[in-house]
Amino acid sequence: MSGRTREPEGSTPDEGPLWWEDAHPGFRDGDRPGPSRSRRRAVRRIRRGFRTTAIVSVAGVTALGAAALTQAPVRDFISVGGGTQVVSDDFTRTVAKGWDSAGKGGRYTLNDPAHASVSGGTGKLVLAAPGASMNAQLTSVSAADVDARVSFALPDNPVGGDVYFGVVLRSGAQGSYRAKVRVLPGGTVRLSFSRAGAGGETFLGGETQLPIRLGPGRRLVLQAQIAGTDKVSLMSKAWLSDVVPPSSWQHGAVDTSAQRLTGRGTLGLWSYLSRSGTAGTLEVGSFSADAAEAAPGEPPVIVTPSVPAATTPTPTTTPTPTASATPKPTATPTVTPTTPSVPAGGRRSAKAGSAPVGSTRYAIPARAVVVATSGDDGAAGSVEAPVHTIARAVSVAPAGGTVVLRAGVYHETVTVPASKSLTVQAYPGEEVWLDGSVQVSGWRAEGSAWVHDGWTARFDHSPTYAVGAADGTAAAWKFLNPSFPLAAHPDLVFLDGRQLKQVGSVGEVKGATFYADYAGERLYVGENPAGREVRASDLAEGVNLRAPGSVLRGVGVRRYATPVPGLGTVKITGRDSTVENVLIADVATTGLSALAAHVTVRDVTVRRAGMLGIHANYADDLQLLSVRAEDNNIERFNSSPVSGGIKVTRLRGVAIVDSVASGNAGKGVWLDESVYDSTVTGNDIRNNSHHGISWEISAKAVFADNVITGNGGDGLRVNDSAGAEIWNNVITGNGRTLNLVQDNRRGARLSDPGHDPRQKLPDPTMTWLVGHIRIGNNVLGAPKAGATCVLCVEDYSHERSAAQMNLEVDGNVYYRPDRTPNWLVIWSRGAGDPQTFTSLDAFQKATGQEDRGSAPSGAVGALPAAVPLPASVAGRTGS
């Protein structure tokens, strides 16, 4: 996209030349991953003033974990958040024998490479005979406290006996732990732990059966954590990949025996076929792990669970406001922290996202039109005589009426016309899916592939928001990554529920790939579809709420081949509309688009969208409440101009509250192109490949009470934007921690792209000059290795100093346990290079900032009294 067009969403470059890097051309800030720094105490903040801080030692956390296990095995009591990613593998390579090397984590060592291979985005392990086991170990990875996640599928149900699969933890000369999934014939799933060693295998904590069944080809996700030394605590949970993950752990164990494994060890995957079983294949889709790394001699990063309200420390001191602090201060305790860490548990964002499809219970009003897959479009539309299609129900429902969907899968495009508002909802307690795919049969072998004749579905594959327009050519304006040239092709094919990768010719079809031959009207797949379910998308649009005041709630939406110019699979074009408790999954490009004013998106999950989870443009007064955007941009569009979790542009008034943006390939949350008056509070922004939050060429915002950790780019990046309150955030383990940058763009220059054309231009509220920003009471933890500063303020145009930007910085906690990066602060001087400060004391003396700031390194005394929370911020956070 470029500034010459009027697409519904635009982007502008957020990467400028860094002065330090210009002098060191071999280095790029944030390019190299590295371990996050050790932390020994946990910071918990409640919703008043600076937030109370609860102090729990590592040993205390472990003890609490053991107690929690005894009382309630599913309690979420440990978290290894904010650590270093040591393993990341999506198996996008081809290996005939063995698994070669993970994307991150080194080379796999396998006990039987001849029965292992990689193709089509999966790592295959063949259990060739009863009693066979397969081990894939990453011997170059060494860690003690780990959070690991792996997804896998069985092409066929186990026959005659059970199949085991799991993650190997702390593997070494003395043995290893195994976090295991046991799949029984029929698909029953059970979780367990064991400790394996020279003396055999010792089972720990029994076994938990889950209320799910794993069907052939369906993908299961296993997450496991291990922490502690005196008491080794293990927790796990598992879920089908197309449903909402459980919010709590499902199985736990504690090892206090003399044989417990307390040191660092390698990581890997393990599988086993019982002696009564029949040979089969296990397919791994992804494997990742974060380690709570510590500096030599330091304890590991362990995070305390939330403290119950009854035990919240009582405030003991009240800070005296400065002459410039007009709000009445709230009581703030004196605390004695050492290493700040990322809060665990107790956050409303932990429950963000849709309720499980089929679990909602909305009341059915009188005169509702009922739809059932067994209905008749000539029927009355009552519960006793439902209609057959949603389209029929929409046409006969009165304005302001309700359409109720009985359980089943509906293969339709649902449009609520602009002429009448409607509510579309699931029948109470029934599972409803809108599905853009159809089952495809009638396959024949052709060479090394299989072909279906007569496939006529056609989709636009324009790579920009303008139909037929070519991709951009300038840096940061190219949608497509050359490594993923078919990203904008929205065709989708699923084999037993697993999404296949699209290729550009018949000759490339092999393994888990497909090719859509438009000219020949054929569909090719690279795996034998005999006896398996093949589904291919033939609908581009899922839902369009065109009428003001319309509602969609309680349903799942999946497998629609929405092209880039088509915007979201679910579109909201009618003002004052609501989408609530909706799960959107496995769609071609964008999950949801809000394109009208006064829209509310509440309790919505978007996962595995091809390009972007949630998008909004011209959607003034937008409310994104308790939403979850995770694992989006699976097609790997470039991070700019658009991709990732949530992106909003050209609007006035947006609230993103108590939500989660995690694991997205791109930015977690991006506010860009003249977004005015943003509230971003109470969110978890974790493990996205680019910046956690990016606020760009915009104005007026509150960023408060967010946890921003583990992101590949900056934690919070402010680009050419003014008028922000940045308070009470925990930002740690990212690239640059808090990065304020000014480049050459100016709001007064109308040739610069990114203006809101609805405003009188030049817009006096959009100067695009960094300024008037208050930064207070944040925990600014050490960034990843390679980042050059914790607080960074730079003007690449070399025109304005930090003082001229009118910045106020006070009451923040800076943590660099080993004093890296060397520069605590980079501070613009306008012309020439900026000032750099290696210590907080030097920064305070030179600038007069941070009178009440703190920079602990190890055990320290009490924190200085917190800066009073501005009333404008307290009002937006519920404090």
Side-chain angles (χ1 to χ4, degrees), residues 273-323:
L273 176 64
S274 67
R275 295 187 181 278
S276 58
T278 301
T281 301
L282 188 147
E283 298 180 343
V284 181
S286 63
F287 180 31
S288 63
D290 291 343
E293 293 293 334
E298 297 273 344
V301 181
I302 303 292
V303 181
T304 178
S306 59
V307 180
T311 62
T312 300
T314 303
T316 58
T317 64
T318 303
T320 302
T322 62

Side-chain angles (χ1 to χ4, degrees), residues 404-497:
V404 177
L405 310 180
R406 299 302 303 262
V409 177
Y410 295 86
H411 181 65
E412 298 185 53
T413 292
V414 178
T415 301
V416 175
S419 58
K420 60 180 177 181
S421 63
L422 292 175
T423 294
V424 180
Q425 67 185 48
Y427 192 90
E430 295 191 356
E431 184 174 349
V432 174
W433 284 95
L434 308 180
D435 194 320
S437 69
V438 292
Q439 188 165 350
V440 183
S441 57
W443 297 90
R444 59 180 175 84
E446 183 179 291
S448 60
W450 286 262
V451 61
H452 167 84
D453 295 304
W455 181 251
T456 58
R458 299 288 182 272
F459 303 104
D460 177 76
H461 58 268
S462 304
T464 77
Y465 285 114
V467 174
D471 200 1
T473 57
W477 296 94
K478 299 177 182 179
F479 279 71
L480 296 180
N481 184 326
S483 299
F484 302 93
L486 298 181
H489 289 246
D491 309 83
L492 298 171
V493 176
F494 302 84
L495 180 60
D496 287 337

Side-chain angles (χ1 to χ4, degrees), residues 521-848:
E521 296 187 347
R522 297 184 181 93
L523 194 63
Y524 293 83
V525 296
E527 293 185 14
N528 189 348
R532 306 168 75 177
E533 182 186 54
V534 181
R535 300 193 68 88
S537 298
D538 65 345
L539 295 180
E541 186 171 90
V543 180
N544 191 348
L545 302 181
R546 297 178 59 194
S550 294
V551 178
L552 176 70
R553 58 190 186 184
V555 304
V557 183
R558 65 189 180 193
R559 299 172 180 165
Y560 283 84
T562 311
V564 174
L567 303 176
T569 291
V570 174
K571 280 187 285 293
I572 311 167
T573 54
R575 61 187 295 124
D576 300 298
S577 294
T578 299
V579 174
E580 177 181 86
N581 277 318
V582 170
L583 169 62
I584 305 169
D586 301 311
V587 296
T589 54
T590 299
L592 180 145
S593 284
L595 303 166
H598 312 300
V599 164
T600 298
V601 180
R602 180 190 302 112
D603 300 324
V604 166
T605 295
V606 184
R607 64 164 61 101
R608 296 189 302 275
M611 182 176 73
L612 178 66
I614 296 174
H615 156 268
N617 188 67
Y618 300 151
D620 296 344
D621 190 27
L622 173 67
Q623 305 287 306
L624 300 179
L625 310 176
S626 190
V627 302
R628 181 177 291 270
E630 59 186 9
D631 302 325
N632 295 297
N633 192 22
I634 64 171
E635 295 291 346
R636 297 301 189 266
F637 286 81
N638 282 329
S639 59
S640 293
V642 56
S643 69
I646 299 170
K647 183 168 186 183
V648 303
T649 58
R650 301 178 189 172
L651 57 80
R652 299 180 83 80
V654 57
I656 305 174
V657 178
D658 295 334
S659 297
V660 173
S662 69
N664 299 289
K667 298 172 179 66
V669 173
W670 195 355
L671 312 169
D672 187 21
E673 293 198 335
S674 302
V675 174
Y676 183 80
D677 196 7
S678 303
T679 299
V680 183
T681 61
N683 304 290
D684 279 3
I685 315 295
R686 300 174 183 260
N687 304 321
N688 302 286
S689 69
H690 210 259
H691 305 321
I693 298 177
S694 182
W695 184 48
E696 188 172 0
I697 54 172
S698 295
K700 191 181 179 184
V702 170
F703 300 96
D705 195 28
N706 301 291
V707 173
I708 309 171
T709 183
N711 298 288
D714 300 336
L716 172 55
R717 183 182 180 100
V718 175
N719 237 112
D720 302 342
S721 299
E725 301 282 1
I726 302 174
W727 293 81
N728 293 9
N729 303 284
V730 175
I731 312 176
T732 183
N734 305 285
R736 291 184 168 198
T737 305
L738 179 53
N739 195 15
L740 283 64
V741 294
Q742 178 69 55
D743 58 36
N744 291 312
R745 289 173 292 176
R746 298 293 185 268
R749 188 165 52 233
L750 301 186
S751 59
D752 288 348
H755 300 278
D756 184 344
R758 302 173 303 165
Q759 310 304 319
K760 182 179 179 180
L761 300 177
D763 182 354
T765 68
M766 291 291 161
T767 64
W768 297 356
L769 295 172
V770 172
H772 301 282
I773 296 174
R774 289 193 290 185
I775 303 167
N777 301 350
N778 302 282
V779 177
L780 304 177
K784 294 179 178 179
T788 53
C789 50
V790 177
L791 172 62
C792 321
V793 180
E794 296 188 76
D795 183 353
Y796 303 151
S797 65
H798 300 286
E799 294 179 0
R800 297 160 64 240
S801 68
Q804 290 171 314
M805 294 177 187
N806 194 13
L807 308 181
E808 298 179 30
V809 186
D810 201 8
N812 300 285
V813 178
Y814 301 78
Y815 185 67
R816 295 179 301 160
D818 55 1
R819 296 186 65 81
T820 57
N822 181 53
W823 293 329
L824 182 74
V825 178
I826 292 177
W827 199 245
S828 175
R829 286 189 285 209
D833 290 343
Q835 291 176 281
T836 59
F837 300 96
T838 60
S839 70
L840 182 60
D841 181 66
F843 177 57
Q844 291 168 329
K845 291 178 179 177
T847 65

Side-chain angles (χ1 to χ4, degrees), residues 43-44 46 48 50-55 312-320 330-338 813 852 854 860-867:
V43 173
R44 177 184 180 266
I46 63 174
R48 180 166 290 279
F50 178 54
R51 310 289 193 256
T52 304
T53 305
I55 305 304
T312 300
T314 303
T316 58
T317 64
T318 303
T320 302
T330 55
T332 306
T334 298
V335 294
T336 310
T338 52
V813 178
R852 287 170 284 189
S854 174
V860 295
L863 282 174
V867 177

